[in-house]
């Protein structure tokens, strides 16, 4: 089923379903379609809202992680949302974490997968030879454990995007901003139920990064998926969705502690 994309008041997003709000946030090279499987799996029971982050359209001097957080804040205010559960992939997880630090009472739960905010191997987002299609294809496949997940259409979309010099400059600027914005000192302040879903074979944000998030954040569950790299929701959607459903079932009203939700370290 084709995705129905809405554009209004400067925001581009997908919205489907009713009820509790789930808000997936894509990464640096991500798109709304990254969450198509999640939309289909959860929109019957939840209100799934997927914003397109303006990574490629911000003024160059304003291209950075904090500007994405400001955009997300404006979007949530525009949609008059009270409590949100973020599902953040890579850079999207980083944005969700900063929003949670700024607006803790508005975030019901967090789900992070391959999140930046501590350490990220920039090789996965490096396109120094952006005119070389074979090179770009190899870099895109590097994101996945199974290179076949990187379809020709996916590779072509990224290749075409980085041919735009202004977009390529913004991508580099955003990557540098994420690297500079290290959250290690702030993470212990986040007292929100958080699920970490990590690819056991992620070379961009390796498992050590997941363990560090798990150690620094007070209320986390860490789950690994084997034979999985940086985009778990795309490589292993069934496992990802199963873990997400279990996490959502643990939800407590913001401000209340959950005595059953303790630090866990589970490999799947």
């Amino acid at each position: 089923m084709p995705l129905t994309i809405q554009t209004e008041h400067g925001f581009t997003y997908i919205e489907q379903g009713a009820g509790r709000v789930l808000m997936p946030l894509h990464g640096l090279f991500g798109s709304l379609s990254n969450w198509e499987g999640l939309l289909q799996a959860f929109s019957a029971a939840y209100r799934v809202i997927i914003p397109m982050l303006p990574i490629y359209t911000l003024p160059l001097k304003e291209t950075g992680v904090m500007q994405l957080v400001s955009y997300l804040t404006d979007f949530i205010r525009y949609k008059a949302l009270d409590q949100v559960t973020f599902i953040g992939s890579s850079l999207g997880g980083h944005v969700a974490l900063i929003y949670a630090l700024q607006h803790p009472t508005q975030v019901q739960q967090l789900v992070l997968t391959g999140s930046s905010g501590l350490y990220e191997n920039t090789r996965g987002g490096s396109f120094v030879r952006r005119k070389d299609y074979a090179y770009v294809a190899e870099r895109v496949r590097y994101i996945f454990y199974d290179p076949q997940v990187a379809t020709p259409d996916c590779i072509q979309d990224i290749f075409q995007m980085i041919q735009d010099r202004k977009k390529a400059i913004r991508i580099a600027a955003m990557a540098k901003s994420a690297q500079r914005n290290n959250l290690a000192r702030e993470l212990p302040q986040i007292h929100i139920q958080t699920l970490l879903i990590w690819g056991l074979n992620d070379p961009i944000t390796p498992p050590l990064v997941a363990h560090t998030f798990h150690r620094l954040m007070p209320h986390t569950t860490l789950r690994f998926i084997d034979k999985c790299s940086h985009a778990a929701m795309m490589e292993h959607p069934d496992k990802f969705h199963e873990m997400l459903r279990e996490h959502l079932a643990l939800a407590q009203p913001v401000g209340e502690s959950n005595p059953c939700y303790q630090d866990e370290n589970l490999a799947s």
Side-chain angles (χ1 to χ4, degrees):
M1 180 182 298
L3 298 175
T4 302
I5 299 175
Q6 303 181 50
T7 300
E8 55 188 22
H9 293 271
F11 302 109
T12 299
Y13 63 98
I14 292 171
E15 180 173 355
Q16 189 169 309
R20 178 181 165 190
V21 176
L22 305 185
M23 186 171 290
L25 300 175
H26 63 80
L28 185 61
F29 289 96
S31 65
L32 299 177
S33 63
N34 294 165
W35 301 105
E36 185 172 2
L38 186 146
L39 184 70
Q40 294 175 354
F42 287 86
S43 60
Y46 297 90
R47 182 184 178 188
V48 182
I49 305 175
I50 313 172
M52 185 70 191
L53 299 177
I55 295 170
Y56 318 118
T57 57
L58 287 171
L60 183 56
K61 292 183 179 180
E62 299 177 13
T63 296
V65 177
M66 298 309 297
Q67 286 69 31
L68 294 183
V69 177
S70 295
Y71 176 90
L72 182 63
T73 302
D74 290 343
F75 177 66
I76 289 173
R77 185 179 297 118
Y78 168 70
K79 296 295 293 181
L81 303 177
D82 182 19
Q83 294 184 15
V84 174
T85 290
F86 289 116
I87 306 162
S89 172
S90 196
L91 179 63
H94 199 157
V95 172
L97 285 166
I98 298 173
Y99 185 92
L101 285 163
Q102 295 180 351
H103 309 277
T105 62
Q106 294 183 14
V107 182
Q108 188 168 14
Q109 288 179 302
L110 286 169
V111 180
L112 306 177
T113 183
S115 179
S116 59
L118 289 174
Y119 166 79
E120 190 169 16
N121 177 1
T122 56
R123 183 170 180 256
S126 175
F127 292 91
V128 293
R129 304 202 315 261
R130 62 189 180 91
K131 299 291 186 181
D132 184 339
Y133 183 87
Y135 171 80
V136 172
E138 191 272 332
R139 293 294 88 224
V140 175
R141 295 187 185 106
Y142 179 73
I143 298 171
F144 302 101
Y145 179 83
D146 179 1
Q148 297 303 312
V149 178
T151 64
D153 286 345
C154 174
I155 294 170
Q156 182 64 26
D157 287 346
I158 292 178
F159 179 77
Q160 289 297 332
M161 178 177 61
I162 63 176
Q163 299 316 299
D164 184 321
R165 182 174 176 275
K166 292 181 179 179
K167 288 184 179 179
I169 291 173
R170 285 176 173 82
I171 290 168
M174 190 65 73
K176 289 180 181 178
S177 172
Q179 285 184 303
R180 290 192 297 265
N181 192 286
N182 188 288
L183 299 176
R185 292 184 179 182
E186 290 83 3
L187 290 177
Q189 302 172 26
I190 299 178
H191 294 272
I192 296 168
Q193 297 173 343
T194 301
L195 173 63
L196 307 168
I197 303 180
W198 233 260
L200 197 58
N201 313 93
D202 186 348
I204 298 171
T205 48
L208 179 60
V209 177
H211 283 294
T212 305
F213 273 115
H214 184 47
R215 175 173 57 83
L216 293 175
M217 298 179 70
H219 303 290
T220 60
T221 293
L222 173 57
R223 305 291 300 272
F224 283 109
I225 300 178
D226 195 13
K227 297 182 180 179
C228 178
S229 185
H230 192 58
M233 71 287 188
M234 296 174 68
E235 287 205 85
H236 294 278
D238 291 344
K239 290 182 179 179
F240 188 93
H241 296 160
E242 180 183 358
M243 293 174 181
L244 176 57
R245 285 192 181 92
E246 292 173 359
H247 177 66
L248 295 175
L250 296 172
Q252 297 290 306
V254 171
E256 292 188 15
S257 62
N258 185 344
C260 298
Y261 197 94
Q262 303 295 330
D263 290 349
E264 301 177 23
N265 190 351
L266 306 175
S268 299

